[in-house]
Amino acid sequence: MIRTLLTLSTAAALMGGTAVQAEELAVVGSWSGLPLHKQYETPFWTEDLPAATDGALTATLTTHDQMGIDGGDVYRMLGDGVFDVGMTVADYAVADSAALEALDVPLLAEDAATARAMVEAARPMVDDIYADVFNAKVLGIAPYPPQVVFCNGEITGLADLEGKKVRASGRMTAKLLEALGAEGVNVSFGEVPGALQRGVVDCAVTGAGSGYSAGWWEVSTHLLPLPLGGWDPVVTAINMDTWNALSETQQQLETAVAEKLQQPAWDAAQDALENDIACLTGNGECPSGEARDMTLVEATAEDTETAREALVGEVLPDWAARAGDDWAQRWNDSVGQVVGVTIGG
């Protein structure tokens, strides 16, 4: 599945000055067991891509967890040309770019339409980051469902997270948890069930559907559906050298990703949280499997206001200090305009 790309100069030399144009892309998808990969990524790369490019492009598809590589290494390896296309949660890559944290600001989007508007506003910033840091071109950004809180133990509201060890879904979420008096803990998604079971963490943040698919209901008892982790956008990006070597026909890939992968994922996002909560708690019909019996802890208006005050008053200014004034201004002028928030205002 994995191959090292020929550089353009080597390819040109092998073809007497004509660059080799890839016909089969080596693609690394997001988590193999989660709905985004199974319902959208897999059919796109195996079925939709060849049809959309009239057979000019096909793909071999695996995922980073199947390969045994860390999510934080996906875009680094992509930039180095180990594979052609990479897809994973943008928050996994923030160690390489503090500015990238601003793609997934928690709490500000209460519905999919607002979340998408935030992503679209942030897209020019994200494009620049991927080109400069990862030698990659962004093809699309799709959401996981809102990132909510699973706890292995009784909670009655947001205040009960104080003093608890909570697995965060990203760096900004970890900062928010700390501002709320919890301890943000870095545990990879695949290790969370064991960490909850052993008491390494008391609670953990992920998408409701992701937690359902991964069996977190087996090791947690209470669900707080407050989006403390945003919508965890997954970025689909292609190595820039590969992109530049594609023909005009093959570059229809960009439109195909937008229409056949990104759009359907966003279309499904609005109903996903309600359905996933029903599957986890038994409150309502579960359309995707057997309903479980977690205790639903309804977030109050006070919970939301407390968390938002911590976000605007502490977390966003902390991010701006780390990312720099230029990025903070770009965020204010784009994403901030969508949600009515100004950092430093």
Side-chain angles (χ1 to χ4, degrees), residues 110-121:
E110 296 183 2
D111 54 53
T114 304
R116 186 167 191 181
M118 290 175 65
V119 166
E120 290 176 348

Side-chain angles (χ1 to χ4, degrees), residues 176-224:
L176 176 58
L177 289 166
E178 290 166 6
L180 294 170
E183 178 185 351
V185 180
N186 182 21
V187 179
S188 70
F189 178 81
E191 295 174 347
V192 169
L196 281 166
Q197 190 171 39
R198 297 191 306 272
V200 174
V201 295
D202 303 299
C203 305
V205 176
T206 196
S210 301
Y212 177 82
S213 298
W216 287 21
W217 45 268
E218 295 181 293
V219 291
S220 51
T221 60
H222 287 63
L223 182 73
L224 176 65

Side-chain angles (χ1 to χ4, degrees), residues 106-107 110 146-150 157-159 161 176 180 205-206 223-230 273 277 296-308:
L107 290 170
E110 296 183 2
Q147 306 292 290
V148 296
V149 186
F150 293 70
L158 182 67
L161 297 184
L176 176 58
L180 294 170
V205 176
T206 196
L223 182 73
L224 176 65
L226 188 66
L228 290 183
L273 180 59
I277 289 173
L296 179 63
V297 181
E298 296 283 5
T300 65
E302 183 180 357
D303 286 340
T304 301
E305 182 60 26
T306 296
R308 187 181 175 99

Side-chain angles (χ1 to χ4, degrees), residues 120-342:
E120 290 176 348
R123 179 65 184 267
M125 293 189 290
V126 177
D127 287 348
D128 288 347
I129 292 166
Y130 275 74
D132 295 342
V133 178
F134 301 114
N135 184 39
K137 175 181 172 59
V138 176
L139 297 173
I141 304 176
Y144 276 130
Q147 306 292 290
V148 296
V149 186
F150 293 70
C151 288
N152 189 14
E154 183 177 0
I155 60 169
T156 59
L158 182 67
D160 289 339
L161 297 184
E162 184 174 358
K164 286 184 165 53
K165 295 173 290 185
V166 185
R167 180 264 184 180
S169 58
R171 184 179 292 177
M172 197 172 286
T173 301
K175 294 290 185 182
L176 176 58
L177 289 166
E178 290 166 6
L180 294 170
E183 178 185 351
V185 180
N186 182 21
V187 179
S188 70
F189 178 81
E191 295 174 347
V192 169
L196 281 166
Q197 190 171 39
R198 297 191 306 272
V200 174
V201 295
D202 303 299
C203 305
V205 176
T206 196
S210 301
Y212 177 82
S213 298
W216 287 21
W217 45 268
E218 295 181 293
V219 291
S220 51
T221 60
H222 287 63
L223 182 73
L224 176 65
L226 188 66
L228 290 183
W231 291 67
D232 236 15
V234 171
V235 174
T236 298
I238 185 169
N239 176 279
M240 191 68 77
D241 298 327
T242 300
W243 172 257
N244 290 333
L246 296 180
S247 69
E248 183 176 348
T249 297
Q250 291 169 331
Q251 287 186 349
Q252 292 175 12
L253 166 66
E254 183 174 17
T255 300
V257 167
E259 295 179 352
K260 302 292 186 178
L261 197 167
Q262 176 180 274
Q263 183 67 44
W266 278 110
D267 287 344
Q270 183 57 51
D271 293 331
L273 180 59
E274 180 178 344
N275 293 337
D276 294 337
I277 289 173
C279 290
L280 287 164
T281 65
N283 292 4
E285 292 187 12
C286 175
S288 57
E290 182 180 350
R292 307 302 174 177
D293 60 355
M294 292 185 67
T295 299
L296 179 63
V297 181
E298 296 283 5
T300 65
E302 183 180 357
D303 286 340
T304 301
E305 182 60 26
T306 296
R308 187 181 175 99
E309 287 178 359
L311 173 73
V312 175
E314 297 183 47
V315 178
L316 284 173
D318 172 83
W319 169 75
R322 289 182 290 106
D325 291 342
D326 290 345
W327 286 109
Q329 188 60 54
R330 288 187 68 175
W331 190 91
N332 282 341
D333 292 342
S334 54
V335 183
Q337 293 290 322
V338 171
V339 293
V341 173
T342 301

